[in-house]
Amino acid sequence: MKIVTFNPFRTIGIPGIKYVKPEHMFKERAKIAEADICLFPENWQVNALVYGMKKSIFPSIQSIQLGFNKIEVTRALWSVCPEHVPKTVILGRNDDNINRVFAEFPFPFVAKEIRNSMGRGVFLIEDHQQFYQYAENNPYFYVQEYLPIDRDLRICVVGDEVIASYWRINERNSFRNNVAQGARISFEDIPEDAVTLVQQTAKQLGINHAGFDLISAGGKFYFLEFNTLFGNQGFQQLGVSVEQHIYKYISALVKE
């Protein structure tokens, strides 16, 4: 199997790999043409690869395009499981929408930058001034109800299977539960209904490589987001090789 990767760090150890820098994609069309599959293209590359060059890609086009930012993620989740999404509004920046946010969301509430990761760009808004400051720096508002929790659940999908699930437990009295922000990982008492929910949602959306983040509140699981490029701290502790799972999946994919 001949493979081109645009992200060598995500494909270490996979055999048959040739690396092409994303910005050199059109200069190295011959190398891409020979490949059976192209791995980890950036969002801007996908349309040219799939529709122009007629290449198979991994992650799937749905994984990359729906996971591009929080707006796309949330709209995708609204389309298949709206009851598992916290109350959220996505608005353009103007005075009417600022007033709408204040009318619909009691303090505290959460405001997020639409593209960020590892807990960055997530703000607990406790008063008007904090939201005005957020609004000055963000042309789009992504506002979500605040659900008091001390942990969230990361469930990772590769291909059509869940390969890792773990809690990220907040022990620093912060509302962020990301490992990059100091959360502790636990593999105990993973709820099967949450895993099933992720499997069903990923299948409905055509997602074959993503880390889904969920919380439990009021006896129900809610999706916060999913990320196509997720962290590997949990895998390191489990001794799981994501690359081996990717290779197994794409090998079957190419044979079809």
Side-chain angles (χ1 to χ4, degrees):
M1 182 167 53
K2 297 178 180 179
I3 305 169
V4 159
T5 182
F6 298 103
N7 188 331
F9 302 108
R10 294 273 168 179
T11 53
I12 294 172
I14 294 178
I17 288 277
K18 292 184 178 180
Y19 172 51
V20 173
K21 288 185 177 181
E23 60 268 29
H24 293 169
M25 179 176 74
F26 297 108
K27 293 180 181 179
E28 300 202 49
R29 289 186 59 182
K31 189 182 291 186
I32 292 169
E34 293 176 355
D36 296 303
I37 192 167
C38 297
L39 307 186
F40 292 99
E42 296 181 4
N43 184 68
W44 66 266
Q45 297 178 268
V46 167
N47 287 342
L49 285 168
V50 173
Y51 303 124
M53 299 180 185
K54 304 295 190 289
K55 303 307 298 184
S56 296
I57 65 170
F58 178 88
S60 64
I61 190 169
Q62 297 97 317
S63 301
I64 295 170
Q65 293 188 335
L66 297 180
F68 181 64
N69 63 40
K70 290 180 174 62
I71 291 176
E72 300 299 335
V73 166
T74 301
R75 288 172 175 164
L77 293 171
W78 277 338
S79 74
V80 296
C81 56
E83 69 278 14
H84 292 287
V85 180
K87 179 182 177 181
T88 305
V89 296
I90 299 167
L91 303 166
R93 179 174 59 197
N94 60 51
D95 289 341
D96 288 341
N97 284 337
I98 290 175
N99 292 331
R100 176 181 168 182
V101 169
F102 291 146
E104 293 188 18
F105 289 86
F107 297 115
F109 58 84
V110 177
K112 301 179 181 180
E113 296 176 354
I114 64 170
R115 288 205 70 197
N116 224 316
S117 62
M118 297 188 291
R120 296 188 296 261
V122 180
F123 309 97
L124 184 65
I125 305 298
E126 299 178 293
D127 57 43
H128 291 81
Q129 187 56 43
Q130 288 179 349
F131 188 71
Y132 287 132
Q133 183 175 355
Y134 164 83
E136 287 180 6
N137 297 313
N138 290 276
Y140 299 99
F141 301 160
Y142 184 102
V143 176
Q144 203 162 61
E145 67 177 315
Y146 171 67
L147 297 172
I149 55 170
D150 69 348
R151 67 189 63 198
D152 65 17
L153 183 61
R154 165 64 61 85
I155 300 179
C156 300
V157 171
V158 172
D160 52 8
E161 63 177 328
V162 169
I163 65 167
S165 304
Y166 50 90
W167 293 103
R168 302 182 299 184
I169 301 172
N170 172 6
E171 296 179 332
R172 299 179 61 181
N173 195 30
S174 164
F175 80 105
R176 296 178 180 87
N177 300 309
N178 306 76
V179 174
Q181 299 291 335
R184 175 175 64 86
I185 289 175
S186 172
F187 303 102
E188 298 179 358
D189 300 319
I190 304 300
E192 285 297 323
D193 50 347
V195 175
T196 299
L197 174 62
V198 167
Q199 289 174 315
Q200 293 172 341
T201 303
K203 183 176 180 179
Q204 284 180 288
L205 294 174
I207 304 296
N208 63 7
H209 187 275
F212 289 80
D213 295 340
L214 302 89
I215 59 172
S216 177
K220 180 187 285 191
F221 285 100
Y222 293 94
F223 286 103
L224 295 181
E225 62 182 339
F226 58 82
N227 293 288
T228 305
L229 302 179
F230 45 83
N232 63 0
Q233 297 95 332
F235 298 103
Q236 291 173 348
Q237 293 188 32
L238 281 172
V240 170
S241 169
V242 182
E243 295 82 6
Q244 288 181 7
H245 284 278
I246 291 171
Y247 186 69
K248 176 183 173 183
Y249 176 74
I250 63 174
S251 296
L253 204 62
V254 169
K255 290 177 182 178
E256 291 179 355

